């Protein structure tokens, strides 16, 4: 063996050096001398205090051999070190480990791939050893840097390059295993280490030929694949790293992933990004899922000015993360997710509006492309919101529904919390549609036990407000959301498409007896629902889908919420809709008038079979049969066809084509229904919601309290002088609690009068009414007030048979008549 001493000099050397020298053969090809290695091992175990010297001496020899390129002796030295390391587990092994790591570092620093692989293999063996006591001074900074560099090897020989990369990945895996089992494992999670480890693993994972895009968790690689494929081995190491992460160091492990995806432009396309985050979400502990979602939201905020496709890629990644996290608890990030997504939805619409404004008056070829890209972003946001919301528990979903509804901007109000000042009318409409589409997805599959839970007043009122907008798409979305919340027995699919159903029993409608809570809800909010259905039928921009959704709304209310009182109200609404088409005070096109007639026919056919009153069914069937023969355009199967002949007018039609209130009342009265209210025409109540509409305003007329009825003669209403006007009569005259249907009818007539009558006629009637009120007041005073009996200035008036003395005339105040 080169460098062997003479016998005399060797005898004077320390024993541990002689034992170390003896393990090296003359020819390195012969390998380690096993007999002498056993002696060295026995000596090290018997005298553990000599381990540090043995290690230092072996390290010196190995360093010389590395410099002199004696690879054979290097292999022997490392084999000896490995055997000593595996055999000795005492506290005295600490100094020996330092020598061992120094030798591994020498091998990793060498430029020979074989020595680098050899050093890595030795380190991996060392990493699998469990030490009895932690090391308070040992650091692995060099090994992290070196192994990470090996993961990016660019050796010209593909086979050698693959071996070096595999060695680097296995080295990182060894560092992770060694440090996470150490009490000082927090050092490996420091950003300077994670910024090297994570990108090195992702770099090798990118080389996988078939990127996994499955919904379920990616399968774990087999043992054979781990050793042969750097991509599979890197993925396995990445899983192991994330599985050992805790809440405190989760951010340091995830942030380098975002940096790598940014630096290598992997958000568009984002298949690899989705694959990475699936691995992350399935590898980390379930309770830390929300932390990854928070990091993703933060990164989305940081890249909010990037191209639409990059933002869409990040949002798609968020969708995948949410899809996995929503199966468990995601903690406090629920509102944060929705708030951030809605903010980016507004930004996307703002960018889209800005692009359109910038392209006005100029030819911009890329504008349409950018608009389409922004629509991709918006659809991704809506999909994420909907998927996230639909996987939440019911109590959280109710909160999210309220939260999203509070963001919907409505013209004329400032109650929404989403800033749309920079969007303009077109952008605001776009936001309304996007938010309602999000809400539609959140409400999908929502099954509340009571309708009050699904439609609380703070949610119902703002939800129905967009149904007054002059936008058919907004009204469609509102109705679809209502269907999601009302339909608790999945009957909507059976009602799809407006048509005359020959036998409703064939649909196998599922229904339950209306509960007390639902009956109370309809008593309180039924008029609000009827009003929006009624007004929705009068919109001139309605298309076939609007009529189909309105029909479905009436049918679902019948199935889910109808008792005898509600049935009567629904029939009144249907007759009122029929009157809309016949009288046509709103100057609707002929198609819309026929469509309303068809809707009423389809609904009354459905209702009559649901309540199963034979006389009512007979009347409805007779009208439908007559329409089939004489006026097929009054039936949905004909009017909603592509080509349907429309009549020139409806004034000449016979009554047998219409549903008659008296016959319906007669048929239902014989079956025990209380039909008195059927004789009172339905008139929708005028509410503040009309101010939210951009149709021709009726707000001004609502505030006018003068009661002007067409055709009324004030003189005919004068009370005769002989009529006794008592205190109770006056009290009833100013009592407003009892006026319901009649007052609504009067109010509607007032509104129509101010909308349509000429100004001269209105002024004349106002003057006539004022004169009448003056005369009426004088008459009341003449009947009730007698001349004062004394100069005191007091008055005496009667109420029944009792006389009362009042205050002086100049202090007397009369009720506002």
């Amino acid at each position: 063996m080169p460098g062997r001493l003479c016998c005399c000099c060797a005898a004077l050397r320390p024993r541990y050096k002689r034992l170390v020298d003896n393990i090296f053969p003359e020819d390195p090809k012969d390998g380690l001398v096993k007999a002498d290695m056993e002696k060295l091992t026995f000596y090290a175990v018997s005298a553990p205090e000599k381990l540090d010297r043995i290690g230092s001496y072996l390290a010196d020899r190995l360093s010389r051999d590395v410099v002199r390129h004696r690879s054979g002796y290097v292999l022997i030295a490392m084999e000896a070190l490995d055997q000593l390391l595996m055999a000795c587990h005492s506290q005295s092994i600490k100094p020996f480990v330092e020598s061992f790591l120094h030798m591994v570092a020498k091998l990793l620093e060498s430029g020979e791939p074989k020595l680098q692989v050899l050093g890595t293999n030795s380190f991996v063996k060392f990493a699998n050893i469990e030490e009895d006591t932690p090391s308070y001074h040992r650091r692995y900074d060099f090994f992290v840097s070196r192994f990470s560099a090996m993961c990016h090897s660019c050796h010209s020989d593909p086979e050698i390059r693959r071996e070096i990369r595999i060695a680097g990945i296995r080295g990182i895996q060894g560092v992770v295993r060694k440090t996470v089992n150490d009490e000082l494992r927090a050092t490996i999670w420091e950003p300077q280490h994670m910024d090297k480890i994570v990108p090195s693993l992702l770099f090798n994972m990118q080389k996988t030929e078939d990127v996994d895009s499955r919904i379920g968790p990616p399968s774990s690689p087999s043992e054979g694949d781990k050793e042969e494929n750097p991509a599979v081995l890197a993925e396995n190491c990445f899983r192991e790293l994330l599985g050992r992460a805790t809440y405190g160091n989760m951010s340091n492990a995830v942030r380098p992933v975002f940096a790598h995806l940014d630096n290598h432009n992997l958000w568009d396309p984002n298949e690899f990004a989705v694959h990475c985050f699936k691995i992350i979400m399935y590898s980390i502990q379930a309770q830390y899922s929300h932390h990854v979602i928070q990091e993703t939201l933060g990164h989305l905020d940081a890249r909010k000015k990037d191209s639409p496709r990059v933002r869409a890629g990040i949002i798609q990644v968020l969708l995948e993360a949410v899809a996995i996290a929503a199966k468990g608890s995601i903690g406090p990030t629920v509102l944060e997710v929705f708030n951030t997504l809605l903010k980016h939805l507004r930004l996307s619409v703002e960018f889209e509006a800005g692009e359109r404004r910038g392209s006005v008056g100029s030819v911009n070829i890329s504008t349409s492309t950018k608009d389409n890209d922004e629509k991709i972003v918006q659809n991704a946001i809506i999909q994420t919101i909907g998927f996230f919301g639909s996987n939440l528990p019911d109590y959280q979903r109710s909160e999210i529904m309220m939260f999203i509804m509070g963001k919907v901007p409505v013209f004329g109000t400032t109650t929404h919390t989403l800033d749309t000042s920079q969007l303009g009318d077109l952008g605001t409409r776009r936001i309304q549609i996007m938010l309602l589409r999000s809400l539609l997805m959140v409400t999908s599959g929502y099954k509340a036990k009571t309708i009050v839970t699904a439609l609380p007043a703070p949610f119902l009122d703002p939800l129905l407000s967009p149904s007054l907008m002059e936008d058919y798409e907004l009204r469609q979305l509102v109705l679809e959301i209502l269907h999601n919340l009302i339909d608790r027995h999945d009957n909507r699919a059976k009602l799809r498409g407006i048509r005359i159903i020959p036998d409703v029993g064939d649909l196998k409608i599922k229904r339950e007896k209306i509960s007390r809570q639902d009956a109370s809800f309809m008593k309180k909010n039924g008029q609000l629902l009827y009003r929006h259905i009624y007004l929705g039928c009068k919109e001139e921009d309605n298309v076939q889908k609007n009529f189909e959704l309105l029909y479905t709304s009436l049918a679902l209310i019948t199935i889910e919420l109808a008792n005898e009182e509600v049935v009567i109200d629904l029939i009144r609404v249907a007759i009122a809709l029929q009157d809309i088409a016949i009288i046509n005070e709103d100057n609707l096109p002929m198609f819309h008038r026929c469509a309303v007639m068809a809707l009423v026919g389809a609904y009354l056919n459905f209702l009559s079979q649901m309540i199963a009153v034979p006389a009512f069914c007979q009347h409805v069937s007779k009208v439908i049969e007559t329409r089939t023969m004489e006026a097929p355009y009054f039936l949905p199967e004909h009017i909603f066809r592509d080509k349907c002949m429309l009549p020139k007018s409806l004034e000449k039609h016979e009554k047998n084509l219409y549903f008659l209130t008296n016959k319906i009342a007669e048929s239902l009265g014989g079956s025990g229904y209380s039909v008195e209210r059927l004789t009172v025409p339905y008139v929708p109540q005028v509410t503040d919601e009309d101010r939210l509409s951009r149709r021709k305003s009726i707000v001004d007329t609502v505030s006018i309290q003068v009661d002007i009825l067409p055709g009324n003669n004030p003189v005919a209403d004068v009370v005769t002088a002989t009529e006794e006007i008592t205190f109770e009569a006056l009290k009833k005259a100013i009592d407003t609690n009892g006026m319901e249907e009649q007052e609504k009818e009067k109010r509607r007539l007032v509104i129509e009068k101010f909308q349509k009558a000429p100004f001269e006629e209105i002024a004349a009637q106002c003057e006539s009414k004022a004169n009448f009120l003056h005369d009426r007041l004088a008459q009341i005073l003449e009947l009730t007030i007698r001349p004062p009996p004394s100069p005191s200035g007091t008055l005496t008036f009667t109420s029944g048979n009792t006389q009362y003395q009042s205050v002086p005339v100049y202090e007397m105040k009369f009720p506002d008549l």
Side-chain angles (χ1 to χ4, degrees):
M1 178 183 124
R4 185 178 290 274
L5 300 174
C6 64
C7 295
C8 295
C9 294
L12 297 176
R13 291 167 62 83
R15 186 181 178 188
Y16 73 90
K17 288 187 177 182
R18 284 180 284 145
L19 291 173
V20 170
D21 290 338
N22 292 337
I23 66 173
F24 292 92
E26 291 288 342
D27 186 356
K29 295 181 180 179
D30 296 336
L32 182 68
V33 181
K34 295 184 179 180
D36 291 328
M37 187 63 216
E38 292 177 357
K39 294 178 182 178
L40 178 61
T41 303
F42 179 78
Y43 175 78
V45 172
S46 303
E49 68 277 3
K50 299 293 185 180
L51 268 174
D52 58 334
R53 299 183 182 182
I54 295 173
S56 298
Y57 184 62
L58 272 171
D60 292 339
R61 290 195 57 130
L62 184 136
S63 298
R64 291 196 304 269
D65 293 335
V66 169
V67 172
R68 297 170 184 174
H69 302 285
R70 296 173 177 174
S71 301
Y73 291 118
V74 172
L75 295 174
I76 293 172
M78 290 308 301
E79 185 179 354
L81 282 169
D82 292 343
Q83 291 190 21
L84 288 173
L85 202 60
M86 299 297 292
C88 304
H89 296 283
S90 66
Q91 294 183 357
S92 302
I93 200 175
K94 299 301 178 186
F96 177 74
V97 170
E98 297 302 324
S99 300
F100 168 79
L101 294 177
H102 177 69
M103 288 182 279
V104 172
K106 285 289 185 182
L107 296 178
L108 295 178
E109 286 178 334
S110 67
E112 298 185 21
K114 290 184 179 180
L115 296 183
Q116 292 178 349
V117 174
L118 176 64
T120 302
N121 293 336
S122 295
F123 183 85
V124 171
K125 293 177 183 177
F126 161 72
N128 292 326
I129 297 175
E130 295 184 6
E131 300 183 52
D132 297 333
T133 57
S135 174
Y136 294 98
H137 62 280
R138 190 186 307 153
R139 296 185 64 86
Y140 298 95
D141 300 18
F142 168 80
F143 296 99
V144 170
S145 300
R146 193 59 197 162
F147 289 138
S148 299
M150 292 169 63
C151 290
H152 293 82
S153 174
C154 297
H155 198 281
S156 58
D157 188 339
E159 187 63 27
I160 295 176
R161 182 170 64 244
R162 185 184 67 83
E163 290 180 0
I164 295 176
R165 288 185 177 181
I166 288 178
I169 297 169
R170 295 181 64 236
I172 289 177
Q173 193 174 34
V175 173
V176 172
R177 289 177 178 175
K178 192 63 180 175
T179 52
V180 296
N181 291 328
D182 198 332
E183 290 185 6
L184 299 180
R185 59 186 177 273
T187 57
I188 196 64
W189 299 106
E190 293 176 357
Q192 62 266 29
H193 299 323
M194 287 291 104
D195 290 344
K196 297 174 184 176
I197 292 174
V198 174
S200 300
L201 298 176
L202 295 178
F203 175 76
N204 284 276
M205 288 169 58
Q206 280 179 253
K207 304 303 178 182
T208 184
E209 295 180 359
D210 183 18
V211 176
D212 193 351
S213 59
R214 293 163 295 177
I215 297 177
S219 59
S220 299
S222 63
E223 290 296 329
D225 292 336
K226 293 178 187 177
E227 298 297 330
E228 299 297 332
N229 192 337
V232 176
L233 183 61
E235 182 178 321
N236 182 71
C237 183
F238 188 52
R239 293 172 187 272
E240 186 175 347
L241 175 68
L242 294 168
R244 297 174 184 270
T246 61
Y247 182 82
N249 47 50
M250 184 63 67
S251 297
N252 292 339
V254 175
R255 285 174 185 169
V257 178
F258 292 110
H260 180 82
L261 297 174
D262 289 342
N263 295 335
H264 294 269
N265 300 320
L266 296 175
W267 294 114
D268 178 31
N270 68 338
E271 287 82 1
F272 179 72
V274 170
H275 179 65
C276 286
F277 275 87
K278 282 186 177 182
I279 294 174
I280 292 173
M281 296 303 295
Y282 281 113
S283 299
I284 63 175
Q285 300 180 45
Q287 63 268 29
Y288 302 148
S289 297
H290 65 92
H291 198 81
V292 178
I293 295 175
Q294 284 179 321
E295 292 292 334
T296 309
L297 292 173
H299 193 70
L300 181 60
D301 285 336
R303 303 296 300 271
K304 63 183 178 182
K305 295 184 179 180
D306 281 29
S307 67
R309 290 190 173 274
V310 169
R311 287 181 280 125
I314 299 174
I315 294 169
Q316 181 65 29
V317 165
L318 180 63
L319 172 61
E320 297 294 339
V322 162
I324 299 170
K327 297 177 182 177
S329 175
I330 56 172
T333 59
V334 176
L335 288 180
E336 183 181 354
V337 170
F338 286 98
N339 196 37
T340 302
L341 290 174
L342 293 178
K343 179 178 68 176
H344 283 276
L345 181 62
R346 179 187 62 81
L347 287 174
S348 178
V349 174
E350 187 174 332
F351 291 153
E352 183 181 9
E355 291 291 340
R356 289 176 178 172
R357 287 195 297 267
S359 62
V360 173
S362 63
V363 179
N364 191 344
I365 300 177
S366 63
T367 299
S368 59
T369 303
K370 291 182 178 179
D371 287 348
N372 292 334
D373 290 346
E374 289 296 345
K375 286 181 173 60
I376 293 174
V377 175
Q378 294 160 16
N379 291 332
I381 293 175
I382 292 173
Q383 188 179 8
T384 304
I385 290 175
F387 191 89
F388 195 5
S390 61
N391 281 277
L392 291 173
D394 287 346
Y395 72 93
Q396 280 188 325
R397 203 190 306 198
S398 298
E399 295 177 359
I400 296 305
M401 288 160 50
M402 296 285 291
F403 180 76
I404 297 177
M405 199 65 243
K407 299 283 186 179
V408 178
V410 178
F411 292 118
T413 68
T414 57
T415 55
H416 58 90
T417 59
L418 199 65
D419 182 17
T420 58
S421 57
Q422 305 296 324
L423 299 179
D425 290 350
L426 186 61
T428 301
R429 175 189 175 276
R430 183 73 176 162
I431 280 288
Q432 290 171 330
I433 292 176
M434 294 294 105
L435 291 176
L436 289 177
R437 285 179 58 192
S438 303
L439 187 59
L440 178 63
M441 295 194 69
V442 171
T443 56
S444 177
Y446 182 54
K447 297 291 188 298
K449 293 183 179 179
T450 61
I451 197 66
V452 181
T453 305
L455 290 170
F459 177 75
L460 179 62
D461 294 340
L463 173 64
L464 293 178
S465 296
S467 68
L468 296 175
M469 296 293 181
E470 284 188 327
D471 191 303
Y472 71 94
E473 190 174 355
L474 283 173
R475 299 196 300 273
Q476 289 175 6
L477 289 170
V478 171
L479 291 173
E480 288 176 336
I481 292 169
L482 275 176
H483 296 171
N484 282 345
L485 298 173
I486 294 176
D487 183 21
R488 292 170 288 177
H489 296 88
D490 298 322
N491 293 311
R492 182 173 31 168
K494 304 171 185 177
L495 301 170
R496 186 168 297 152
I498 180 172
R499 64 195 188 281
I500 302 296
I501 303 174
D503 187 359
V504 174
D506 294 339
L507 300 181
K508 297 181 180 180
I509 299 292
K510 297 179 182 178
R511 64 184 304 192
E512 297 178 4
K513 185 179 180 181
I514 182 172
S515 65
R516 183 179 301 176
Q517 293 89 339
D518 291 348
S520 176
F521 172 85
M522 288 303 295
K523 186 171 292 186
K524 185 177 181 180
N525 300 295
Q527 294 299 324
L528 191 60
L529 294 174
Y530 306 149
R531 159 189 165 78
H532 285 269
I533 293 174
Y534 177 86
L535 295 178
C537 290
K538 298 173 67 173
E539 296 292 344
E540 293 185 6
D541 62 338
N542 280 339
V543 296
Q544 179 178 347
K545 184 177 180 181
N546 289 86
F547 291 111
E548 290 179 351
L549 293 173
L550 289 165
Y551 162 76
T552 306
S553 300
L554 290 169
L556 288 176
I557 292 175
T558 304
I559 295 170
E560 297 285 348
L561 302 170
N563 52 18
E564 290 189 3
E565 183 178 351
V566 173
V567 167
I568 297 299
D569 286 335
L570 289 170
I571 294 175
R572 291 175 60 223
V573 172
I575 298 300
L577 291 175
Q578 180 177 255
D579 293 340
I580 289 177
I582 297 174
I583 301 173
N584 196 27
E585 294 179 348
D586 296 283
N587 296 320
L588 295 174
M590 183 57 68
F591 170 78
H592 289 72
R593 296 171 67 183
C594 293
V596 171
M597 296 290 284
L599 183 152
V600 173
Y603 172 64
L604 289 180
N605 171 70
F606 176 82
L607 176 64
S608 63
Q609 296 186 55
M610 289 296 293
I611 64 177
V613 175
F616 184 26
C617 292
Q618 184 177 2
H619 172 62
V620 172
S621 299
K622 186 175 181 181
V623 172
I624 292 175
E625 183 179 351
T626 306
R627 288 183 177 184
T628 304
M629 300 297 296
E630 300 179 13
Y633 38 79
F634 283 171
L635 298 176
E637 290 83 358
H638 294 268
I639 189 61
F640 293 123
R641 291 191 307 180
D642 293 337
K643 294 181 180 180
C644 178
M645 296 296 295
L646 298 176
K648 295 182 179 180
S649 66
L650 303 184
E651 285 72 16
K652 297 181 180 180
H653 285 77
E654 300 294 335
K655 288 186 177 181
N656 56 3
L657 294 175
Y658 304 139
F659 300 99
L660 303 179
T661 304
N662 57 347
K663 291 190 176 182
I664 295 175
E666 182 181 348
S667 61
L668 293 179
S671 298
Y673 282 82
S674 178
V675 296
E676 291 80 6
R677 287 189 302 117
L678 275 179
T679 59
V680 181
Y682 170 77
V683 179
Q685 58 185 354
V686 178
T687 68
D688 291 339
E689 291 177 1
D690 291 301
R691 296 187 176 91
L692 308 179
S693 172
R694 284 202 165 182
R695 69 186 81 200
K696 57 184 180 180
S697 177
I698 60 174
V699 178
D700 296 334
T701 60
V702 172
S703 61
I704 297 176
Q705 300 300 321
V706 181
D707 192 5
I708 300 178
L709 300 180
N712 279 4
N713 185 2
V715 179
D717 295 330
V718 176
V719 182
T720 60
T722 58
E723 181 181 353
E724 182 181 10
I725 301 179
T726 64
F727 180 80
E728 288 77 13
L730 289 173
K731 182 178 178 182
K732 291 180 180 179
I734 63 174
D735 185 11
T736 59
N737 293 330
M739 64 173 191
E740 292 182 3
E741 299 295 337
Q742 294 180 357
E743 187 64 27
K744 294 174 185 177
E745 175 67 12
K746 290 165 64 178
R747 186 179 297 176
R748 184 180 72 85
L749 294 174
V750 170
I751 293 170
E752 292 179 353
K753 187 68 176 177
F754 275 80
Q755 284 180 340
K756 300 178 180 180
F759 175 80
E760 292 78 10
E761 180 181 347
I762 295 175
Q765 290 204 14
C766 285
E767 183 178 0
S768 175
K769 191 69 175 179
N771 294 334
F772 162 72
L773 291 175
H774 181 271
D775 296 340
R776 182 72 173 271
L777 178 60
Q779 184 184 22
I780 293 174
L781 293 176
E782 183 181 357
L783 292 173
T784 58
I785 302 175
R786 298 176 180 177
S790 64
S792 60
T794 58
L795 297 176
T796 302
F797 66 96
T798 61
S799 177
N801 297 324
T802 307
Q803 289 187 347
Y804 298 91
Q805 278 197 345
S806 70
V807 296
V809 177
Y810 59 85
E811 296 181 3
M812 188 172 183
K813 296 182 180 179
F814 293 95
D816 186 6
L817 301 178

